[in-house]
Amino acid sequence: MTGNATTRFGNVSLLSVQSRLPGGVRTSADVQDRLAPALRRLGLPRTLLQRVAGVHERRAWAPGEDVTSATVAAGEDALRVAGVDPSDVGLLINTSVTRKHLEPSVAVGLHHGLGLPSSAVNFDVANACLGFINGMSIAAGMIESGQIRYAVIVNGEDADDIQDVTVDRLLRGDAGRDDFMAEFATLTLGSGAAAAVLGRADEHPEGHRVLGGVTRAATRHHALCVGSTDGMFTDAQALLEGGLELVVDAWKDAVAEWDWGTMDRYVTHQVSKVHTRAITEAVGLDRAKVPTTFPTLGNVGPASVPITLAHEQESLRTGDRVLLMGVGSGINTAMMELAW
């Protein structure tokens, strides 16, 4: 692969990955009941979310819960499981799409909440749904170079408000079928938080080696999925086609240096039934090795990869090979191999 699109790490391990899920459950049946007048008017099926996306429910923050506290709690869990004292952390990367303000960074509040030292570098990395894998790669590079010993990568998503605003907009009489489909993806979003701790492999033989991976970009597709606090508007079919093309190109390029055809687990970004089936078929993955969380959690943005990995870790065994696979609107893709 040309340029800097492939990376290998020799002394980096994933020490822990943890998730915190909201206490509230928002079912697709409930969302579709709210949208019933619009669905009838537009001649769309009442069970569209289950039938097309395969999303039956997603989590929503309950009263007394908030995304910031949950993200801090996920970070605390990850540090505790890793056996790392907050005072030893040299880097915090927040990868959340969700943010309540433009400045300062979301990372500063999380740095404070986790009680990290003044010496710990902290910043946000924003790259749509690919952010968490990008954050892991940045942290691994800094560990490999000797700049830091430990890094915490976090993500917290709050899709509740944007989903409510979208439902209200689609219920307006002037919302047409094209408007509905452009905002359909928003209805699949879920809320949640996750965190991972990375450190030096030679100091943690019990860790899971971060071996490296590949990235690839197709930014000519940057206008296919555009989100803001007002809503997320997507050309779903073109986005799927562009993403598949990019993943296949990256997969083919990686063959010369990486053998990913026989992994023990493929942890993919969770979007929908259609997306998972398409990715699986496009690169010939064993469907039995591709776990899914989207049916009950929806699309939790960048948090979906670490949340799914956290769910799978109890069934993984020493020596298993795990491939993290993500696609972010824009379009970018990244694949990262772990040796469990």
Side-chain angles (χ1 to χ4, degrees), residues 11 47 52 153:
N11 191 31
T47 57
V52 175
I153 300 91

Side-chain angles (χ1 to χ4, degrees), residues 18-99:
Q18 297 291 304
S19 65
R20 281 291 180 116
L21 299 178
V25 176
R26 182 177 291 190
T27 68
S28 289
D30 290 340
V31 175
Q32 288 160 167
D33 284 346
R34 293 171 61 191
L35 284 167
L39 293 170
R40 284 194 299 269
R41 178 171 54 82
L42 299 173
L44 293 170
R46 278 291 297 267
T47 57
L48 191 64
L49 284 163
Q50 295 101 316
R51 288 173 56 182
V52 175
V55 175
H56 297 277
E57 61 187 37
R58 76 284 291 138
R59 295 299 184 94
W61 299 110
E65 297 177 337
D66 67 86
V67 66
T68 300
S69 299
T71 307
V72 169
E76 290 173 337
D77 290 345
L79 286 168
R80 175 181 49 77
V81 171
V84 175
D85 191 277
S87 64
D88 290 328
V89 173
L91 173 68
L92 170 74
I93 302 179
N94 168 64
T95 64
S96 307
V97 172
T98 297
R99 57 189 313 117

Side-chain angles (χ1 to χ4, degrees), residues 298-311:
N299 178 355
V300 200
S304 69
V305 165
I307 286 175
T308 304
L309 181 60
H311 284 198

Side-chain angles (χ1 to χ4, degrees), residues 62-231:
E65 297 177 337
D66 67 86
V67 66
T68 300
S69 299
T71 307
V72 169
E76 290 173 337
D77 290 345
L79 286 168
R80 175 181 49 77
V81 171
V84 175
D85 191 277
S87 64
D88 290 328
V89 173
L91 173 68
L92 170 74
I93 302 179
N94 168 64
T95 64
S96 307
V97 172
T98 297
R99 57 189 313 117
K100 295 188 181 300
H101 45 71
L102 293 176
E103 292 290 345
S105 70
V106 177
V108 296
L110 300 174
H111 179 282
H112 175 72
L114 285 167
L116 301 184
S118 177
S119 56
V121 179
N122 60 95
F123 52 81
D124 293 348
V125 166
N127 196 15
C129 294
L130 202 59
F132 202 93
I133 296 178
N134 290 152
M136 290 180 66
S137 184
I138 292 168
M142 292 179 68
I143 292 170
E144 189 93 323
S145 69
Q147 295 180 69
I148 58 173
R149 288 181 66 201
Y150 298 107
V152 181
I153 300 91
V154 296
N155 184 277
E157 301 298 339
D158 184 351
D160 303 352
D161 289 344
I162 191 172
Q163 210 161 76
D164 290 335
V165 168
T166 298
V167 168
D168 290 342
R169 183 164 45 240
L170 293 175
L171 285 172
R172 295 190 323 216
D174 60 346
R177 197 181 183 101
D178 289 344
D179 298 316
F180 191 100
M181 298 315 297
E183 298 202 64
F184 178 76
T186 310
L187 304 176
T188 70
L189 298 177
S191 297
V197 175
L198 271 61
R200 296 175 184 170
D202 58 9
E203 294 183 352
H204 293 274
E206 78 285 359
H208 316 298
R209 293 289 294 274
V210 179
L211 301 182
V214 303
T215 63
R216 198 175 178 99
T219 53
R220 63 186 179 278
H221 298 306
H222 66 273
L224 293 182
C225 180
V226 179
S228 69
T229 55
D230 296 324

